[in-house]
Amino acid sequence: MMSKFTYLRIAAAMTATLFLSGTGWAQNINVPPPAQDEAPSSQGLETAVFAGGCFWGVQGVFQHIKGVTSAVSGYAGGKARTANYPTVSSGMTGHAESVSVTFDPQKITYGQLLQVFFSVAHDPTELNKQGPDYGTQYRSALFVQNASQEKVAKAYIAQMNAAHTFSDPVVTTVEDKAQFYPAEKYHQNFLNDNPDYPYIAINDIPKVQQLKADFPTLWQTTPVLVKE
């Protein structure tokens, strides 16, 4: 399976024009909002865990959304002893590269975050891969934190498949709540700190640009970064 670092060696041979053109995946599909959503709540902050391929870009997208108070890259779906990048990259641990998003449900709903996830953050029709990255650690998954999230997530996936929102079926899995393990320090805020890194420039900056263009009311210019 090809890791993002293997891909970088290939990308390094490309021309500067390619690097500057922002040729990463970005879809021009009108993804409707979920017909069923959680109601705004004043019960405090809520957490949602999203897996959509390399966590660098997924984190970078959610860090620019109003109402998000934290977006941490990490691993979900496996055991503590194997929750480290070299081992997870083997694709044998059950983990998925994930982002734990803490948000204020008075300012943004779980359903709105799902719409961004399916519209901008990744391609939900790719099975066990995203762009140049292959393996179950790059699967599209929602690690639901409660029954309400599970209900909204399953209904939304069914809604999009029934409407043929995408040309291919949505393959995103809805998985039970799993222990989330924050990734190594060097993975946090990677997009923000390395916007010219070839992998980021090609695959992830277009996603952030699309978020700004497609969701102007949710966009916040200053990202919510993980503090050291």
Side-chain angles (χ1 to χ4, degrees), residues 151-223:
K151 186 176 181 180
V152 171
K154 287 183 175 179
Y156 195 21
I157 292 171
Q159 172 190 333
M160 290 185 291
N161 280 332
H164 302 287
T165 300
F166 301 91
S167 57
D168 296 309
V170 172
V171 296
T172 306
T173 57
V174 178
E175 303 187 26
D176 292 338
K177 180 178 181 180
Q179 183 66 42
F180 178 83
Y181 305 98
E184 295 82 350
K185 180 180 176 181
Y186 65 89
H187 285 302
Q188 306 301 339
N189 308 325
F190 198 92
L191 182 148
N192 181 79
D193 295 344
N194 303 276
D196 297 325
Y197 202 63
Y199 183 96
I200 294 294
I202 294 170
N203 295 286
D204 295 329
I205 293 300
K207 299 176 184 179
V208 177
Q209 293 170 337
Q210 188 178 354
L211 171 68
K212 183 178 181 180
D214 291 356
F215 295 91
T217 61
L218 299 182
W219 170 262
Q220 61 178 7
T221 302
T222 302

Side-chain angles (χ1 to χ4, degrees), residues 2-14 19 56 132-133 190 196-203:
M2 183 182 289
S3 73
K4 62 178 68 69
F5 296 109
T6 301
Y7 179 67
L8 279 175
R9 291 196 291 270
I10 298 173
M14 297 180 178
F19 290 147
W56 293 344
D133 299 318
F190 198 92
D196 297 325
Y197 202 63
Y199 183 96
I200 294 294
I202 294 170
N203 295 286

Side-chain angles (χ1 to χ4, degrees), residues 3-228:
S3 73
K4 62 178 68 69
F5 296 109
T6 301
Y7 179 67
L8 279 175
R9 291 196 291 270
I10 298 173
M14 297 180 178
T15 65
T17 301
L18 178 60
F19 290 147
L20 294 174
S21 65
T23 56
W25 174 85
Q27 55 186 348
N28 294 309
I29 297 173
N30 182 21
V31 179
Q36 180 174 316
D37 196 358
E38 290 185 327
S41 171
S42 60
Q43 299 302 309
L45 299 178
E46 187 174 344
T47 298
V49 178
F50 302 88
C54 175
F55 43 31
W56 293 344
V58 178
Q59 181 191 46
V61 166
F62 282 111
Q63 286 179 323
H64 279 283
I65 297 177
K66 290 179 181 177
V68 170
T69 62
S70 174
V72 179
S73 291
Y75 313 105
K79 305 296 184 182
R81 60 183 175 82
T82 55
N84 60 80
Y85 187 75
T87 311
V88 170
S89 294
S90 73
M92 303 296 290
T93 68
H95 291 96
E97 288 197 17
S98 305
V99 177
S100 178
V101 176
T102 304
F103 63 99
D104 185 343
Q106 292 190 86
K107 297 179 179 178
I108 190 167
T109 66
Y110 179 60
Q112 287 176 300
L113 293 175
L114 286 177
Q115 186 181 13
V116 170
F117 178 66
F118 287 114
S119 300
V120 174
H122 81 309
D123 182 348
T125 69
E126 291 193 317
L127 183 63
N128 295 331
K129 70 180 292 288
Q130 282 295 310
D133 299 318
Y134 291 81
T136 58
Q137 71 273 31
Y138 297 114
R139 67 187 181 273
S140 174
L142 298 167
F143 292 90
V144 292
Q145 305 298 294
N146 51 51
S148 176
Q149 286 188 3
E150 180 179 13
K151 186 176 181 180
V152 171
K154 287 183 175 179
Y156 195 21
I157 292 171
Q159 172 190 333
M160 290 185 291
N161 280 332
H164 302 287
T165 300
F166 301 91
S167 57
D168 296 309
V170 172
V171 296
T172 306
T173 57
V174 178
E175 303 187 26
D176 292 338
K177 180 178 181 180
Q179 183 66 42
F180 178 83
Y181 305 98
E184 295 82 350
K185 180 180 176 181
Y186 65 89
H187 285 302
Q188 306 301 339
N189 308 325
F190 198 92
L191 182 148
N192 181 79
D193 295 344
N194 303 276
D196 297 325
Y197 202 63
Y199 183 96
I200 294 294
I202 294 170
N203 295 286
D204 295 329
I205 293 300
K207 299 176 184 179
V208 177
Q209 293 170 337
Q210 188 178 354
L211 171 68
K212 183 178 181 180
D214 291 356
F215 295 91
T217 61
L218 299 182
W219 170 262
Q220 61 178 7
T221 302
T222 302
V224 179
L225 301 178
V226 177
K227 297 180 180 179
E228 297 184 3

